[in-house]
Amino acid sequence: MAKTTEVTVWATGVVQDKEGRDVCLVLTEAAFNEGKFTQAFDNYVDLPDRINVQVRKYARISDAEIENKFEYENHRPNIVGVCEATIMKGINVCKGLQDGGYLIINSTKKPEDLLKYVPEKEKKRLKAIACVDALGIAPEQLIDYSGAEGAEDVSAIGLGLGSAMAGAIAAVSGIVKKESVLGAAANRTSAKRGYDEVKIKVLK
Amino acid sequence: MKERYKKYTVEIPEEMALPFAGIVEAPKVNGEQPMMLTGGWRIYRPVVDHDKCVMCKSCVLACPDATVLLVDGGQKIGFNLDYCKGCGLCTWVCPVNAIDRVPEIDFEDGVPFQDALFLLPHVEALYAD
Ligand code: SF4
Ligand code: SF4
């Protein structure tokens, strides 16, 4: 079986619910257009309808059909995205990270400054850590109070913060090509800026 | 006055008194209730300016998580940062604008670090190599 790349995106409940989800949707849409097999799914575990609670959004991308359909969590991610850097202070966002994994954070700070929030065990596995000022690039965070579960998304996918994050994740990890990620995001400009402006620190 | 309202008052025996919020105990300092640690939700930390504060205690009443504390023998306002979720209500109710909201990421400490959310034994196994 071909290897599946798993992406976990951390966001804040309700406030970034859509943007976190959009990161996963833009990446899987981009990969799907490249002919890959994909899954993107929302969170059912973290009780996501509480404002500012830490929530996770997931994506899986593979060259072959993905077989584990009914597991709604990525326990061993290859790529971790963090839509709000403060989340890292209170939780080990990289838990279960695969060796050679990537960590991409929305922050105006330098990647070196945020490395202290990654515990030693996970730090050894990180291939690169990167920061992108996604909120500065695309300040829109569409707040939808209808709830995470069963909500209908009437706006376009990848309009705000999520597009810049998806661009940055593509640039750092190379999981999808630049053209695909720009094509999948509704806000092409901010996806491009996320791709171009991400600050990367390679660790190994 | 007291007599007049007596007939509307129900005396609740101590063993039947409800805890905070009717369901759970008020949070304790030092993260003793790990499954409900809300300090990690906080993006803006409330910081009180003791010179401005007039000790009206509105913030104590307003905090939905009972995390505004009276410290120094009840002379000062403090916060239980293990559980304060940074909602900003205390800032909003303060009549003299004594509570500031400062980005949490600019402080070195103050948030209890959790290894995972809802970490139960069968979940821990799923993270293993
Ligand atoms: S920010 Fe909210 S939770 Fe924190 S102390 Fe103020 S009212 Fe309480
Ligand atoms: S509401 Fe403001 S003035 Fe009143 S006790 Fe709290 S901090 Fe002090």
Side-chain angles (χ1 to χ4, degrees):
Chain A
M1 198 178 90
K3 209 182 146 301
T4 307
T5 304
E6 301 193 343
V7 186
T8 299
V9 175
W10 290 81
T12 58
V14 182
V15 179
Q16 292 182 334
D17 199 69
K18 175 182 158 53
E19 300 306 335
R21 186 169 64 224
D22 278 7
V23 178
C24 290
L25 290 177
V26 169
L27 287 175
T28 48
E29 173 82 12
F32 184 78
N33 292 341
E34 288 179 6
K36 302 250 177 73
F37 291 83
T38 62
Q39 288 178 347
F41 43 98
D42 223 320
N43 181 304
Y44 296 95
V45 177
D46 303 335
L47 309 177
D49 288 339
R50 301 173 292 165
I51 291 176
N52 274 358
V53 65
Q54 309 98 323
V55 295
R56 288 164 285 183
K57 312 283 171 183
Y58 305 102
R60 293 186 187 132
I61 296 170
S62 176
D63 291 329
E65 202 163 338
I66 302 169
E67 283 175 8
N68 58 339
K69 255 185 192 158
F70 301 114
E71 200 182 315
Y72 292 110
E73 241 174 303
N74 288 342
H75 288 104
R76 305 297 315 276
N78 303 82
I79 301 165
V80 176
V82 182
C83 292
E84 165 58 61
T86 321
I87 293 174
M88 297 176 68
K89 254 189 108 170
I91 189 103
N92 182 2
V93 290
C94 289
K95 189 169 175 68
L97 189 79
Q98 300 267 6
D99 208 19
Y102 300 95
L103 175 61
I104 298 99
I105 310 150
N106 164 31
S107 175
T108 49
K109 291 189 187 293
K110 289 202 288 289
E112 294 86 332
D113 297 344
L114 295 170
L115 202 54
K116 62 174 180 259
Y117 298 120
V118 183
E120 280 308 318
K121 184 181 167 200
E122 280 77 14
K123 213 184 273 180
K124 286 201 200 89
R125 297 179 177 174
L126 270 180
K127 194 165 180 188
I129 178 169
C131 283
V132 62
D133 181 16
L135 199 60
I137 292 170
E140 298 86 2
Q141 296 191 88
L142 189 106
I143 301 180
D144 173 3
Y145 287 106
S146 61
E149 212 174 322
E152 194 183 350
D153 198 340
V154 286
S155 62
I157 287 164
L159 271 180
L161 184 144
S163 55
M165 277 296 287
I169 290 177
V172 175
S173 66
I175 186 174
V176 284
K177 294 194 198 79
K178 184 175 185 178
E179 260 322 300
S180 333
V181 75
L182 298 199
N187 189 341
R188 196 184 162 92
T189 323
S190 61
K192 184 174 185 305
R193 283 188 62 195
Y195 194 101
D196 294 338
E197 293 175 22
V198 61
K199 291 169 280 184
I200 309 172
K201 181 171 171 58
V202 179
L203 300 173
K204 67 176 179 187
Chain B
M1 201 62 171
K2 234 180 173 178
E3 280 305 307
R4 201 180 140 197
Y5 286 104
K6 199 133 198 183
K7 65 174 175 187
Y8 301 113
T9 314
V10 183
E11 290 289 336
I12 300 171
E14 203 174 321
E15 67 273 17
M16 285 177 71
L18 289 174
F20 168 73
I23 312 165
V24 290
E25 281 179 71
K28 301 184 187 89
V29 189
N30 302 330
E32 282 174 47
Q33 292 129 297
M35 286 293 277
M36 43 179 278
L37 272 177
T38 46
W41 302 18
R42 190 170 62 245
I43 294 165
Y44 293 100
R45 178 191 292 196
V47 176
V48 63
D49 181 345
H50 295 291
D51 294 335
K52 275 195 199 168
C53 173
V54 293
M55 282 309 287
C56 71
K57 298 176 189 151
S58 302
C59 51
V60 181
L61 290 175
C63 179
D65 284 332
T67 54
V68 182
L69 311 172
L70 293 170
V71 295
D72 279 7
Q75 297 304 299
K76 267 186 179 173
I77 293 297
F79 297 96
N80 179 351
L81 290 178
D82 286 359
Y83 294 91
C84 163
K85 60 187 176 182
C87 68
L89 272 179
C90 49
T91 305
W92 197 74
V93 297
C94 179
V96 292
N97 294 332
I99 305 179
D100 214 348
R101 298 185 80 199
V102 187
E104 182 61 48
I105 195 86
D106 291 342
F107 294 92
E108 280 297 314
D109 55 356
V111 180
F113 192 80
Q114 284 174 288
D115 198 37
L117 301 168
F118 308 117
L119 195 57
L120 302 168
H122 74 279
V123 178
E124 179 72 74
L126 295 169
Y127 288 103
D129 286 298

